[in-house]
Amino acid sequence: MKPLQVIFPSREDPDSPIIDLDLHLPFLCFKPEQVLQIMTCILTERKIVFFSSDWALLTLISECFMLYLHPIQWQHTFVPILSRQMLDFVMAPTSFLMGCHVDHFEEVCKEADDLILINIDNGDIAQSKSSEDETEIPDIPLQAGRIFITRIENLPLHYDLELCHLSSCTDLGEIQLRRRKWQQKLNSEIQQITLQLIFNIFREVKDHLNYEHRVFNSEEFMKTRQIGDQPFYRKVLETYMFHFFLKARLNRRMDAFARLELSTRTEEDRLSSMLDSPRRLTMEKMVSKRFNPQYMISKRMGMSLPNLQDIDPKDGPTRNSSLRCINTKHTSKLISKPVSTFKVPEIHFPLVGQCVQSYYIDFNNHLSRAINIVSPDNSALLARYFYLRGLICLMQGKLLNALLDFQNLYKTDIRIFPTDLVKKMVETLPPSDRSQADQKPELKRLISQVLDKQREITKVDDHVKNFELPKTHMQLDDFVKRIQESGIVKDIDTIHRLFDALTVGQQKQIDPETFKDFYNYWKETEAEAQDVNLPPTVIEHLDKNECVYKLSSSVKTNKGVGKIAMTQKRLFLLTEGGRPGYEDITTFRDIEEVKSTTVAFLLLRIPTLKIKATFKKEVFEANLKSECDLWHLMVKEMWAGKKMADDHKDPQYIQQALTNVLLMDAVVGALQSSKIIYAASKLSYFDKMKNEVPMMVPKTTSETLKHKINPSVGETFPQAVEVLLYTPGQLDPAAHGDAHSKLWCALSDGKVVVFDASTWSIQHCFKVGNSKLKCMVMAEQSQVWIGSQDSIIYLINTHSISCNKQLNDHRFEIVDIIVENRDSMSSEAYSCSLDGTVIAWNISTLKVNRRFQLACETLTAIRFHNNRLWCCIGNCILVVTTNGFIRQKVKMEDNLRDLPLSLLCFQLFPEKDQMWASCSGSNELYIWNMTDLSTPSQKISLQDCSEITCMMKVKNQLWVGGKGLSQGKIKGKIYVIDAETKKVEKELVGHLDAVKALCSAEDRYVLSGSGKEEGKIAIWKAE
């Protein structure tokens, strides 16, 4: 028997196809331009028939084109070979891809209309007679096609030419190995090129998706396409393939397309996605657009795969392109991965039942030996051995043994777990085997999870809607939904204010015409902003990330005639004349006063805007005439928003103010009413807040607070920050290419957001399960463990940011996980669940070292100190050995309170021999001496605190989070207490809701997360 090579799907993309053919074959049969034509026919779902005199080529060429589309999948009939008796299949009314012998070419031509006829032998592409519905094949988007052709022309498609560069070899095995390596490398390059083609065609689809309402705004997407590319997109957008592609985007599937999008996203893209601001050109992109030839033919900007060749835009057709520029500074390298070889037992016997069973036994024994000798750290290889042995047991009819192997696989590498296969096994289990399986907790658990997952899949709503303007009158709830679907704004409170603005002076409902006028004005303003083209002499005065959001008409000012421009940071005058210039007005931070007044001119009074700045003697005056009232509102809103952003160290406030300003502008532009300024004033949120309720930030808070970030950006409602974890950066960045520290934030329903701690920009966002996440810990340098309310511990790879392992040994919700670090032996992790179960894990092997059950109703937290576990249960804390034997018990004194107290959280302070604890619903801290736990506790009451929710040790301080009274309102508060003096050193008020989570960043910073009323993270300076 020849050597058998078993290939599993990519760990990064489990849905990636297995390549077992030569992907360069179509390029030997067709020119690159023709390959693009064929791919266009496939993407537009035409009726396609391949012809060849070589039956094998029909299948090979057809399969190659299917692989070129990945991750898009052909959704229609696929029959690579049709026999003579089946030729009438080409009369099918739906789309298809078929193949038949070239001898039947004429017959097929006469058989049906609108067929794309592709002759593989001579490289011809023809079309049978067309009906009125079908026209000629549209051109693929120009720039995407040009890049594709250039890269294909640089590929070494002929192995004979490759041999000229290699030394001669007479060993047949070596010759075959060289040929195989050459083909694998070529296949990989072709996959990259075709993926880049698909990515370049559809990369901007995401800008027009509304994930929450599952809406795609095709009309706005088409407006951004170049005229020459629109026929292609018009056809593609109507196909089933594109519909399934949209479903995958809306489901946030992490496939090859999504990974390429993440890898090519710039830091500016990450920051803009965090701020959720309206789309405008930054100065950096404006400069690139001006001087880069690629941007000269583009409306949108970005970056692409880093190893593309330089493209000269002067070559080829002259029509415009809809693609972004290509970054050619870096080149990607094909990294050779280590290969583990498992020798399959040879077959040297007749294929009869008894011999086959003996072979399976021998095969099983080989795999068992391999599993026993493989290092536990090599989980990827171990998982594949479990996979193979499970399959062999299945072939032997040993279903229980197969299930046990698949259970081990599930714990080792969930990404290659064969869910459908295991589900079918469970459904076909005989009653006796099912009874035995139910008696084994681990198998019962696996069966339950597989069946539950199947039920969840059937419940998933994967519809996709196309955005349409409303046709009936809308009440508030319907208006909120429509605005969110349109992608204009997501925040509910802002939409409520917009509804009030659009219904001023009429019934509280909005008619379709008003909505249409408002929507069109917003989109027109957005499109016009993309075409703003500032001269270099102006751009040099602005920051690279500034965007022009509003331009006035040409007005007379005391600085000359020109247009007033508003960015997120400043106001400036774009002077007119022979050469446009820049005149600074003021930054929003420096504004002292804004007035709307009138000045006399002959017999007229001209509305004028006056702006007084802190560091300028001269007051800026602009005769804005009819625009004066609107600009007065807008400048005051931006001024108030900037003050809020500075006071609270929260840049999102200025983005919210920007959105309010642009909504004001759209309301004024859309309404035909004498009350338009009053209507626009309904959106003046920060200015009213500043005037009505001055929000002073306490001095201590302002000095300690460094920054605030929002993990719920882009969501309709803020989500509570349940857990925070800081992981330090890699010491050797060359090892994995990511040396940055990270902040992990667990939100509701299993969502985890990962920030780059160097820029506080969102790097990743993923889900683990659908339940509330309770705890996180960095078990080792490459692994984060996350405990969930669904009783599962999810293991996240810190390099790929993906979950490929789960620990399922708990039966109730996980409440805490801690890691014990030892120098002489493998580290252990301890996890505990609400029912009192404590499990000690070997971090390297993920095997259970020990487990024990504490006699309690609830277990809420554990700590490790002096080779003892300190466990918080109900109204007491148990000190137990690592085997579960109770050594001490610390109980709340009965005289402290009439009602029994329930401990919520506690913290050990070994340096001071102290243990601090708090009770649910209490504002008091209890402190015990760890050397003599029998002595009564010392009590500290926190002033203006209604409840303590979390605490942590930072240097010689204890940071306590909770909620309490500040300026007459209940807010999230943090108390910084000196462990020596036991006095409150600082009282920090940085959240609008209770502080739910705390974590430390290398004892330099403390990060706090708040409840769902605010859902933000504050970054504090630790002293």
Side-chain angles (χ1 to χ4, degrees):
M1 183 178 180
K2 294 181 180 179
L4 178 66
Q5 186 178 20
V6 180
I7 302 175
F8 286 89
S10 161
R11 296 186 66 175
E12 290 78 17
D13 185 8
D15 296 325
S16 63
I18 303 300
I19 309 298
D20 58 352
L21 45 80
D22 299 343
L23 287 183
H24 70 292
L25 285 177
F27 298 104
L28 300 179
C29 303
F30 304 99
K31 297 176 181 177
E33 295 83 357
Q34 291 176 310
V35 171
L36 286 176
Q37 268 192 308
I38 297 170
M39 292 187 69
T40 299
C41 293
I42 297 173
L43 287 170
T44 54
E45 294 185 347
R46 300 292 295 270
K47 301 175 183 179
I48 303 167
V49 185
F50 283 102
F51 296 91
S52 177
S53 58
D54 187 336
W55 292 102
L57 270 182
L58 290 172
T59 299
L60 293 173
I61 297 295
S62 300
E63 289 287 353
C64 282
F65 278 104
M66 293 296 99
L67 293 170
Y68 290 170
L69 298 178
H70 181 75
I72 296 177
Q73 295 180 339
W74 178 254
Q75 300 293 327
H76 299 279
T77 304
F78 179 64
V79 186
I81 296 178
L82 280 178
S83 65
R84 170 69 183 82
Q85 293 76 17
M86 301 169 67
L87 289 183
D88 56 350
F89 279 24
V90 300
M91 298 177 66
T94 59
S95 303
F96 55 76
L97 194 153
M98 300 183 184
C100 60
H101 199 278
V102 73
D103 291 345
H104 307 306
F105 186 89
E106 295 297 331
E107 185 178 352
V108 170
C109 281
K110 299 174 183 177
E111 198 77 36
D113 298 341
D114 305 322
L115 298 180
I116 302 298
L117 310 170
I118 303 171
N119 191 324
I120 297 173
D121 295 346
N122 59 23
D124 286 343
I125 302 174
Q127 188 172 358
S128 65
K129 55 183 179 180
S130 301
S131 64
E132 295 182 359
D133 296 335
E134 294 291 349
T135 57
E136 62 181 22
I137 304 169
D139 290 331
I140 210 158
L142 172 68
Q143 191 67 8
R146 180 183 293 158
I147 295 169
F148 176 84
I149 291 171
T150 303
R151 296 189 71 192
I152 289 298
E153 288 174 346
N154 291 329
L155 287 179
L157 297 176
H158 300 278
Y159 182 63
D160 292 342
L161 296 177
E162 186 74 9
L163 285 176
C164 298
H165 304 286
L166 302 175
S167 59
S168 59
C169 178
T170 57
D171 182 79
L172 181 60
E174 178 65 21
I175 292 173
Q176 291 175 337
L177 180 62
R178 284 183 177 183
R179 176 66 170 80
R180 188 159 56 248
K181 286 185 176 180
W182 175 83
Q183 188 63 60
Q184 289 174 348
K185 180 181 177 183
L186 182 58
N187 281 356
S188 178
E189 290 176 346
I190 291 174
Q191 282 183 284
Q192 286 188 38
I193 294 171
T194 54
L195 174 61
Q196 181 68 43
L197 173 68
I198 297 297
F199 180 68
N200 285 341
I201 292 172
F202 298 113
R203 70 187 308 165
E204 292 177 358
V205 165
K206 64 178 175 57
D207 296 335
H208 303 272
L209 289 176
N210 183 307
Y211 290 88
E212 183 185 3
H213 295 279
R214 304 187 64 84
V215 171
F216 173 60
N217 196 329
S218 59
E219 183 179 342
E220 291 301 320
F221 174 75
M222 286 299 297
K223 287 179 182 177
T224 64
R225 303 302 92 197
Q226 294 295 329
I227 295 176
D229 296 338
Q230 287 184 6
F232 171 84
Y233 285 106
R234 198 172 291 115
K235 286 186 172 293
V236 169
L237 264 57
E238 297 174 352
T239 63
Y240 282 100
M241 294 169 66
F242 182 73
H243 184 76
F244 277 86
F245 172 77
L246 284 181
K247 284 185 179 181
R249 299 314 105 210
L250 290 170
N251 293 336
R252 300 184 188 273
R253 180 179 297 168
M254 190 49 64
D255 54 18
F257 186 97
R259 283 197 309 279
L260 182 56
E261 193 276 325
L262 275 176
S263 67
T264 56
R265 186 186 294 180
T266 63
E267 189 61 32
E268 181 185 332
D269 292 333
R270 292 191 179 99
L271 290 172
S272 63
S273 68
M274 279 190 63
L275 297 172
D276 198 28
S277 56
R279 290 194 295 269
R280 297 293 188 272
L281 285 181
T282 62
M283 295 303 108
E284 185 177 32
K285 287 187 176 181
M286 200 174 287
V287 170
S288 300
K289 182 179 181 181
R290 177 182 299 275
F291 297 109
N292 191 320
Q294 291 298 325
Y295 285 108
M296 301 291 284
I297 57 175
S298 172
K299 278 192 176 181
R300 296 295 180 89
M301 270 91 18
M303 60 184 289
S304 189
L305 202 67
N307 64 336
L308 299 184
Q309 303 293 326
D310 288 318
I311 309 297
D312 185 0
K314 296 178 182 178
D315 297 333
T318 57
R319 69 186 179 86
N320 286 344
S321 163
S322 61
L323 224 83
R324 307 181 183 187
C325 95
I326 308 303
N327 185 345
T328 61
K329 292 182 180 179
H330 309 286
T331 56
S332 65
K333 299 179 181 178
L334 293 173
I335 302 173
S336 59
K337 297 181 180 179
V339 176
S340 298
T341 304
F342 173 75
K343 187 176 180 181
V344 175
E346 295 183 1
I347 298 177
H348 43 74
F349 49 78
L351 296 179
V352 294
Q354 186 175 356
C355 295
V356 170
Q357 288 300 322
S358 299
Y359 175 78
Y360 284 149
I361 293 171
D362 190 24
F363 202 149
N364 198 315
N365 292 335
H366 273 65
L367 285 167
S368 298
R369 285 194 291 270
I371 289 172
N372 290 333
I373 63 174
V374 70
S375 169
D377 296 335
N378 196 347
S379 59
L381 181 60
L382 195 62
R384 280 140 180 81
Y385 283 153
F386 283 134
Y387 197 127
L388 285 175
R389 195 171 70 175
L391 292 177
I392 297 301
C393 289
L394 182 59
M395 297 302 297
Q396 289 179 280
K398 298 178 178 179
L399 300 185
L400 289 180
N401 289 348
L403 280 176
L404 283 170
D405 277 327
F406 288 134
Q407 163 68 10
N408 288 324
L409 169 62
Y410 191 82
K411 293 168 62 175
T412 311
D413 193 342
I414 192 173
R415 287 180 292 184
I416 62 170
F417 180 76
T419 304
D420 292 337
L421 176 63
V422 175
K423 177 178 174 290
K424 290 178 181 177
M425 288 174 56
V426 171
E427 290 173 347
T428 57
L429 273 179
S432 57
D433 286 351
R434 180 60 184 267
S435 177
Q436 291 184 50
D438 288 340
Q439 293 174 11
K440 298 182 178 181
E442 65 274 15
L443 288 186
K444 185 176 180 180
R445 177 86 170 186
L446 176 68
I447 291 171
S448 174
Q449 287 175 332
V450 169
L451 296 180
D452 288 346
K453 185 177 291 187
Q454 186 63 28
R455 283 191 286 270
E456 288 175 11
I457 292 172
T458 59
K459 293 178 183 178
V460 170
D461 180 12
D462 64 349
H463 72 283
V464 180
K465 294 190 296 184
N466 194 22
F467 176 74
E468 294 180 353
L469 291 170
K471 298 177 181 178
T472 59
H473 285 66
M474 288 159 284
Q475 303 294 331
L476 177 58
D477 290 345
D478 193 23
F479 178 74
V480 169
K481 180 181 176 184
R482 294 286 188 168
I483 288 292
Q484 288 177 340
E485 287 181 356
S486 71
I488 292 175
V489 64
K490 295 179 181 178
D491 180 66
I492 298 289
D493 293 335
T494 303
I495 300 175
H496 284 185
R497 291 191 289 271
L498 176 60
F499 181 81
D500 290 339
L502 291 174
T503 56
V504 163
Q506 58 181 334
Q507 292 182 345
K508 291 299 178 182
Q509 62 177 10
I510 293 177
D511 62 89
E513 283 302 315
T514 301
F515 188 97
K516 180 181 178 181
D517 291 342
F518 170 80
Y519 176 81
N520 288 340
Y521 191 90
W522 176 276
K523 290 298 180 181
E524 287 167 8
T525 305
E526 193 175 69
E528 289 169 5
Q530 295 289 330
D531 296 328
V532 171
N533 196 7
L534 300 179
T537 53
V538 174
I539 293 177
E540 67 185 16
H541 290 89
L542 305 175
D543 296 344
K544 66 178 183 178
N545 290 326
E546 276 189 88
C547 308
V548 174
Y549 286 89
K550 176 68 178 172
L551 274 175
S552 73
S553 56
S554 185
V555 296
K556 182 182 177 181
T557 75
N558 59 344
K559 290 180 177 287
V561 176
K563 296 180 178 181
I564 299 174
M566 175 189 289
T567 74
Q568 67 267 46
K569 185 177 180 180
R570 75 186 83 221
L571 294 169
F572 67 90
L573 184 68
L574 191 61
T575 58
E576 296 179 347
R579 195 172 177 186
Y582 173 93
E583 283 288 341
D584 182 56
I585 298 174
T586 181
T587 61
F588 294 114
R589 177 178 287 149
D590 295 336
I591 292 177
E592 271 191 10
E593 185 182 20
V594 180
K595 291 175 63 177
S596 176
T597 184
T598 59
V599 295
F601 178 73
L602 299 178
L603 300 177
L604 302 175
R605 303 292 297 181
I606 300 176
T608 301
L609 182 70
K610 293 186 177 182
I611 302 174
K612 184 180 180 183
T614 305
F615 302 106
K616 295 186 179 181
K617 294 181 179 180
E618 186 182 13
V619 175
F620 174 78
E621 296 184 13
N623 299 335
L624 281 161
K625 301 178 183 177
S626 61
E627 296 179 73
C628 187
D629 289 336
L630 174 61
W631 274 88
H632 181 236
L633 279 178
M634 293 194 300
V635 173
K636 287 202 301 178
E637 180 70 3
M638 290 297 293
W639 176 25
K642 183 61 178 175
K643 185 174 183 350
M644 284 280 290
D646 288 347
D647 290 348
H648 294 267
K649 313 289 177 68
D650 189 347
Q652 194 178 16
Y653 284 130
I654 196 66
Q655 301 301 324
Q656 290 174 342
L658 266 174
T659 300
N660 294 340
V661 162
L662 295 176
L663 290 173
M664 290 178 193
D665 183 40
V667 166
V668 171
L671 293 182
Q672 302 295 326
S673 166
S674 58
K675 298 181 178 180
I676 53 175
I677 298 302
Y678 174 68
S681 69
K682 295 285 187 180
L683 292 155
S684 185
Y685 174 70
F686 290 108
D687 186 46
K688 288 179 182 176
M689 183 183 293
K690 183 183 74 171
N691 292 329
E692 295 174 4
V693 187
M695 297 182 64
M696 296 296 295
V697 178
K699 183 181 178 182
T700 306
T701 298
S702 181
E703 291 174 348
T704 312
L705 181 62
K706 301 297 291 181
H707 193 58
K708 288 185 83 172
I709 51 179
N710 183 12
S712 299
V713 65
E715 300 287 343
T716 304
F717 297 100
Q719 298 183 36
V721 178
E722 304 291 350
V723 194
L724 290 172
L725 172 69
Y726 173 84
T727 56
Q730 305 293 328
L731 296 176
D732 181 13
H736 295 283
D738 185 3
H740 293 165
S741 304
K742 295 182 176 68
L743 173 66
W744 303 65
C745 172
L747 303 178
S748 57
D749 299 330
K751 184 178 179 181
V752 180
V753 179
V754 183
F755 292 86
D756 182 334
S758 62
T759 60
W760 302 118
S761 60
I762 294 177
Q763 294 286 84
H764 300 277
C765 183
F766 61 94
K767 283 196 72 173
V768 284
N770 295 302
S771 301
K772 182 178 177 180
L773 302 178
K774 303 288 290 185
C775 49
M776 289 193 288
V777 68
M778 189 175 187
E780 57 183 15
Q781 194 71 35
S782 63
Q783 217 171 71
V784 167
W785 291 23
I786 303 179
S788 173
Q789 201 170 42
D790 62 11
S791 76
I792 297 175
I793 300 175
Y794 298 93
L795 276 58
I796 311 299
N797 185 297
T798 58
H799 307 307
S800 63
I801 314 295
S802 59
C803 174
N804 64 322
K805 299 174 186 176
Q806 295 181 8
L807 303 177
N808 307 290
D809 292 68
H810 284 283
R811 296 294 173 265
F812 289 82
E813 70 174 79
I814 312 295
V815 291
D816 208 353
I817 306 173
I818 59 171
V819 174
E820 170 204 357
N821 294 310
R822 299 178 182 176
D823 298 328
S824 58
M825 53 193 302
S826 298
S827 297
E828 279 192 326
Y830 293 89
S831 62
C832 64
S833 50
L834 192 64
D835 65 330
T837 301
V838 180
I839 299 179
W841 304 89
N842 184 307
I843 294 177
S844 299
T845 64
L846 302 181
K847 291 183 178 179
V848 176
N849 287 346
R850 297 174 304 283
R851 67 184 300 157
F852 56 86
Q853 182 80 33
L854 296 175
C856 63
E857 291 186 5
T858 57
L859 171 60
T860 56
I862 56 173
R863 297 289 182 268
F864 187 86
H865 171 64
N866 199 20
N867 206 32
R868 294 284 187 270
L869 288 172
W870 299 60
C871 306
C872 182
I873 60 166
N875 63 348
C876 67
I877 293 174
L878 296 180
V879 183
V880 302
T881 66
T882 54
N883 290 313
F885 297 107
I886 299 175
R887 290 292 178 255
Q888 285 179 290
K889 186 174 183 178
V890 184
K891 193 172 182 180
M892 301 293 296
E893 292 83 354
D894 294 332
N895 60 352
L896 287 179
R897 205 169 176 184
D898 295 335
L899 297 174
L901 295 173
S902 176
L903 289 169
L904 180 67
C905 55
F906 76 106
Q907 181 68 50
L908 302 181
F909 225 122
E911 297 87 349
K912 305 293 182 183
D913 291 326
Q914 295 172 355
M915 179 178 72
W916 298 61
S918 68
C919 299
S920 58
S922 170
N923 70 333
E924 296 174 337
L925 288 167
Y926 303 93
I927 309 166
W928 283 271
N929 187 328
M930 291 174 64
T931 58
D932 185 7
L933 293 171
S934 61
T935 59
S937 62
Q938 182 179 349
K939 185 173 68 171
I940 299 176
S941 295
L942 300 180
Q943 187 177 1
D944 295 329
C945 178
S946 57
E947 184 179 14
I948 296 170
T949 53
C950 54
M951 63 178 71
M952 71 170 303
K953 179 175 79 74
V954 182
K955 298 180 181 177
N956 291 319
Q957 299 171 329
L958 190 77
W959 287 57
V960 179
K963 61 181 179 181
L965 199 64
S966 175
Q967 297 178 353
K969 291 185 177 181
I970 295 294
K971 295 183 180 179
K973 301 184 77 173
I974 297 174
Y975 297 85
V976 182
I977 304 170
D978 185 272
E980 186 72 38
T981 63
K982 302 181 181 64
K983 292 183 178 180
V984 176
E985 293 184 333
K986 291 181 181 180
E987 189 175 314
L988 308 175
V989 186
H991 294 288
L992 300 179
D993 199 357
V995 177
K996 298 197 67 176
L998 289 168
C999 81
S1000 171
E1002 301 172 358
D1003 280 349
R1004 294 170 54 213
Y1005 299 99
V1006 173
L1007 300 104
S1008 59
S1010 64
K1012 63 181 180 180
E1013 293 300 318
E1014 181 195 54
K1016 292 185 179 180
I1017 299 170
I1019 302 155
W1020 308 88
K1021 180 173 62 177
E1023 297 176 349

